[in-house]
Amino acid sequence: MAYAQPTPILEVRDLHVEFDTMSGLVQGLRGVSFSVMPGETLALVGESGSGKSVTAQAVMGLIGLPGSIVSGDILWKGQSLLTPEGQKKAASLRGKSLSMVFQDPMTSLNPLMTIGAHLVEVLRRHMKLSKPQAFARGVELLEAVGITEPRRRMAQYPHEFSGGMRQRVMIALAIACEPELLIADEPTTALDVTIQAQVLDLLADLQKSMGLSIVLITHDLGIVAGLCERVAVMYAGSIVEAGSAATVFEQAEHPYTQGLIRSTPRLDDRRDRLVSIEGAPPSLLHPPKGCAFQSRCPVASRQCDTKPARQETPAGGSVSCWTPSLPAWADVAKTTEVHAR
Ligand SMILES: Nc1ncnc2c1ncn2[C@@H]1O[C@H](COP(=O)(O)OP(=O)(O)O)[C@@H](O)[C@H]1O
Ligand SMILES: [Mg+2]
């Protein structure tokens, strides 16, 4: 019997983005597909340069020249945002039902405007509140994101806030219009570890109390556990593995995911040292024809010269690899041996 599948709030289908640069065409995204269900938190994880921010920018309609979406689709509740009609809809969604928190709050806050003025502006524009109503709501929002003495803080400028507090302000701005989906692009990367944990807890609380869907973008797999239900792992402009957080952490299928987990510190970790994945991702100017990870993969073979198709995993996820579930990094000695060959 077939069950009706609930419609994802966001679906990205085989998205390709290119940047026409002086040195040639950079293939920023090379077929990205994923979906986010209502109320779900999805982690988008990968090394720097893997295409995480470009994915977020594409969803937010922020790909500008020299970049462009060359193929694929982005759907909001089943409706394309890339058709002429969809683009109109997208413009009304963005900043309201669909909002984003960036990595560096200092570049997104106007240093000449008080925190209160930022909040009042957003609330008046999108929520059609009067000035006094917007001010009162701004105070509530600061309180909701854990800022004490919110009335006094409304009159202060961004430089009077610490990094963690500024990121809380950014979150307050992002949730001001009661979004259904929040994209947070490395929201805690610039913060120290304790503050990072507090901001992540705040996101988790908001997710629960507001029933938000969240796409959490990070290069740090360590912050994903406990916060995200599903994980999608990006490498060189594609998603190489996706699945529930539990299965991705416990039975990673792709050698890259296995390598990432092996190089991520964990609280319960007894290993003496962590081993990072040797080498660097391929250039997206001239990406390899086959599997993009093969030059760093300890179990690569000749068939990896052909691009592996995405396949379902027994645990309900998906992976793009010719030899999924093979333990790629059994131990350091073996890895070194393989690399030496
Ligand atoms: N404006 C741009 N011009 C040229 N290349 C870009 C531009 N923006 C992103 N790219 C390229 O797209 C790829 C993905 O970048 P990005 O999504 O920022 O990575 P990250 O995973 O670190 O967020 C990188 O190779 C990057 O160099
Ligand atoms: Mg980025």
Side-chain angles (χ1 to χ4, degrees), residues 52-53 103 185-186:
K52 306 181 298 294
S53 294
Q103 174 173 343
D185 190 357
E186 312 242 16

Side-chain angles (χ1 to χ4, degrees), residues 256-275:
Y256 177 61
T257 316
Q258 294 175 20
L260 268 188
I261 291 170
R262 183 167 161 269
S263 58
T264 303
R266 281 167 39 164
L267 280 179
D268 58 356
D269 213 322
R270 302 261 163 80
R271 286 172 296 179
D272 294 343
R273 63 196 180 107
L274 294 159
V275 200

Side-chain angles (χ1 to χ4, degrees), residues 37-218:
M37 302 309 289
E40 179 179 66
T41 300
L42 170 77
L44 206 52
V45 185
E47 279 165 295
S48 173
S50 57
K52 306 181 298 294
S53 294
V54 171
T55 303
Q57 286 157 9
V59 172
M60 295 303 293
L62 298 174
I63 301 279
L65 291 174
S68 62
I69 294 177
V70 288
S71 62
D73 207 350
I74 301 170
L75 299 101
W76 177 263
K77 299 181 181 173
Q79 191 190 335
S80 171
L81 296 182
L82 299 182
T83 60
E85 234 173 87
Q87 284 176 356
K88 272 189 228 147
K89 182 170 171 65
S92 67
L93 286 175
R94 289 171 182 139
K96 201 163 184 281
S97 305
L98 176 56
S99 71
M100 182 155 168
V101 178
F102 297 89
Q103 174 173 343
D104 180 7
M106 221 32 201
T107 55
S108 333
L109 291 169
N110 181 340
L112 302 177
M113 268 167 74
T114 62
I115 297 304
H118 282 90
L119 282 160
V120 167
E121 187 190 279
V122 166
L123 287 161
R124 293 197 69 189
R125 180 160 21 112
H126 290 296
M127 305 300 275
K128 308 276 179 273
L129 298 184
S130 69
K131 228 175 175 175
Q133 283 170 331
F135 187 88
R137 180 72 188 127
V139 172
E140 281 173 15
L141 282 163
L142 288 188
E143 207 156 22
V145 297
I147 292 179
T148 51
E149 295 186 75
R151 259 173 202 288
R152 185 174 67 81
R153 298 297 241 162
M154 288 285 276
Q156 291 185 328
Y157 289 87
H159 74 266
E160 298 176 79
F161 282 63
S162 66
M165 285 297 151
R166 276 200 290 269
Q167 199 52 292
R168 285 175 191 267
V169 170
M170 291 311 297
I171 294 171
L173 283 164
I175 62 166
C177 304
E178 291 155 28
E180 294 172 76
L181 176 68
L182 179 72
I183 301 181
D185 190 357
E186 312 242 16
T188 62
T189 301
L191 307 176
D192 63 41
V193 178
T194 326
I195 309 294
Q196 179 171 321
Q198 291 168 2
V199 171
L200 293 170
D201 282 348
L202 170 65
L203 283 176
D205 289 347
L206 292 171
Q207 191 266 326
K208 280 194 207 93
S209 62
M210 300 177 67
L212 266 179
S213 302
I214 296 181
V215 176
L216 176 70
I217 294 179
T218 178

